[in-house]
């Protein structure tokens, strides 16, 4: 057992026996899409009444065995290109703000909305790629389209208050255009700065169903935010050997929120690095959990 996993297990009192079970339960409104390829992750251990889990991640299997060209092109069976029929790259004018987005699904009347915020050096193109990241963004697109939802991948110009204001406007616009249906904000890596900025604004929080933070930074003010005071659901995923943002510190935040009665989940990918959550997060399980809180 690695030092990182030992620390996590000590913190969470996880069971030591590996369990041949799926990573997450996927009960909820979103119907399965390639679950045999994306949701059959083995659970090494669980804790906190099932709120936390450690997933068996292996680079040789989950990158080299999954990709035709490692980290560049996933094998064809992981991808379904049907969402390209309803995919647009557009510039939206929202509340006087110009926002470049990739959109998959209808612009109005969607059953739900998922917004993905990239990290440093990224833009809307990153989260619209079908064949990189193990096909995980392609699965997210298909989950949105097959269930009547809309997926937005905006370009974030800056990870400060200006960037937060852009995404706040996009969230409000999606809420109105959907007729009040759920909006879920998901943020990876430095994109978590946007999630945390949004969390401080009670008016924006009111438009959100919940959040997911993938390999994100730790914000000491998050537990005091309007988002947490409203007890909105938040799902964390993280790599155990992430050298950019600490898995142990994020786990400590999760545990504090759980103790405070906030609906929260934490998935740790054992031996996973900083980029592992973007490749390995089970989108159907995460979205279904948030949609049913």
């Amino acid at each position: 057992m690695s030092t990182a996993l030992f620390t996590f297990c000590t913190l969470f009192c996880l069971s030591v026996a590996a369990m041949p079970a799926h990573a997450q339960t996927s009960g909820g409104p979103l119907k399965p899409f390639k679950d045999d390829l994306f949701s059959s992750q083995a659970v090494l251990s669980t804790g906190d009444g099932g709120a936390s889990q450690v997933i068996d991640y292996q680079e040789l299997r989950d990158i080299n065995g999954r990709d035709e060209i490692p980290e560049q092109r996933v094998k064809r069976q992981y991808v379904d290109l049907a969402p390209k029929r309803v995919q647009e790259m557009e510039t939206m004018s929202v509340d006087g703000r110009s926002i470049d987005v990739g959109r998959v699904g209808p612009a109005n009347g969607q059953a739900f909305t998922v917004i993905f915020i990239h990290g440093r050096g990224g833009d809307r193109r990153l989260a619209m790629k079908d064949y990189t990241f193990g096909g995980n963004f392609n699965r997210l697109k298909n989950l949105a389209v097959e269930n009547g939802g809309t997926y937005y991948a905006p370009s974030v110009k800056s990870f400060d208050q200006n960037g937060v204001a852009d995404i706040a406007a996009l969230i409000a616009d999606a809420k109105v255009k959907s007729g009040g249906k759920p909006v879920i904000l998901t943020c990876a890596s430095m994109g978590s700065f946007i999630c945390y900025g949004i969390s401080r604004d009670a008016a924006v929080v009111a438009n959100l169903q919940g959040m997911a933070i993938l390999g994100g930074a730790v914000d000491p003010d998050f537990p005091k935010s309007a988002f947490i005071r409203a007890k909105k659901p938040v799902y964390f995923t993280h790599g155990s050997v992430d050298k950019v943002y600490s898995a142990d510190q994020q786990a400590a935040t999760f545990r504090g929120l759980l103790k405070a009665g906030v609906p929260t989940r934490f998935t740790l990918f054992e031996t996973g690095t900083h980029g592992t959550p973007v490749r390995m997060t089970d989108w159907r399980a995460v979205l279904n959990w948030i949609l049913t809180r």
Side-chain angles (χ1 to χ4, degrees):
M1 181 181 290
S2 72
T3 301
L5 179 56
F6 179 79
T7 301
F8 186 85
C9 289
T10 300
L11 178 63
F12 287 97
C13 301
L14 299 175
S15 63
V16 297
M19 294 168 286
H22 284 189
Q24 298 98 352
T25 57
S26 290
L30 305 190
K31 59 189 178 184
F33 180 83
K34 294 186 182 289
D35 281 25
D36 56 328
L37 296 175
F38 290 93
S39 298
S40 57
Q41 303 163 343
V43 180
L44 295 175
S45 50
T46 63
D48 300 286
S52 63
Q53 56 189 200
V54 177
I55 300 299
D56 178 34
Y57 169 76
Q58 298 177 30
E59 182 176 331
L60 286 176
R61 178 192 64 208
D62 296 316
I63 295 181
N64 294 8
R66 183 167 168 174
D67 292 355
E68 283 183 9
I69 305 172
E71 298 187 325
Q72 296 183 44
R73 187 176 182 85
V74 74
K75 292 177 179 176
R76 185 63 180 83
Q77 63 263 36
Y78 286 83
V79 171
D80 185 327
L81 298 177
K84 283 188 173 294
R85 296 194 298 267
V86 288
Q87 178 172 309
E88 299 288 344
M89 303 294 271
E90 59 190 0
T91 298
M92 300 177 62
S93 180
V94 184
D95 196 23
R97 312 185 75 87
S98 178
I99 309 171
D100 293 335
V101 302
R103 173 175 55 84
V104 183
N108 297 277
Q110 59 267 37
F112 64 95
T113 302
V114 180
I115 301 171
F116 177 86
I117 308 300
H118 59 78
R120 183 174 61 182
D123 59 25
R124 59 181 176 175
R125 294 171 296 180
L126 179 144
M128 297 297 283
K129 292 182 176 180
D130 292 296
Y131 285 95
T132 54
F133 304 104
N136 216 16
F137 284 123
N138 179 263
R139 189 191 190 209
L140 180 52
K141 291 179 185 181
N142 277 279
L143 285 169
V145 172
E146 290 295 312
N147 293 280
T150 295
Y151 167 56
Y152 282 110
S155 289
V156 176
K157 301 182 185 76
S158 59
F159 296 95
D160 56 14
Q161 193 53 44
N162 285 328
V164 170
D166 283 347
I167 302 309
L170 181 61
I171 291 168
D173 186 70
K175 190 74 170 182
V176 170
K177 287 180 177 176
S178 69
K181 299 296 175 54
V183 180
I184 299 171
L185 180 62
T186 70
C187 302
S189 186
M190 188 178 281
S192 60
F193 293 3
I194 301 297
C195 267
Y196 294 136
I198 291 292
S199 76
R200 300 183 180 104
D201 189 324
V204 184
V205 166
N207 288 325
L208 281 178
Q209 174 73 17
M211 287 183 183
I213 297 177
L214 288 65
V218 174
D219 180 356
D221 293 327
F222 185 51
K224 299 175 284 186
S225 68
F227 182 90
I228 296 303
R229 291 197 301 272
K231 286 189 164 44
K232 300 273 183 164
V234 55
Y235 203 123
F236 300 95
T237 67
H238 220 98
S240 71
V241 293
D242 187 335
K243 295 182 179 179
V244 179
Y245 298 125
S246 167
D248 287 342
Q249 290 179 19
Q250 196 67 284
T253 297
F254 153 77
R255 191 170 179 84
L257 296 178
L258 190 67
K259 185 176 181 180
V262 176
T264 183
R265 292 290 183 271
F266 191 105
T267 294
L268 184 79
F269 297 102
E270 167 58 359
T271 76
T273 57
H274 184 58
T276 300
V278 173
R279 168 178 279 263
M280 298 299 296
T281 293
D282 182 348
W283 282 114
R284 180 172 175 250
V286 169
L287 297 179
N288 269 338
W289 181 80
I290 293 173
L291 287 168
T292 53
R293 295 310 99 187

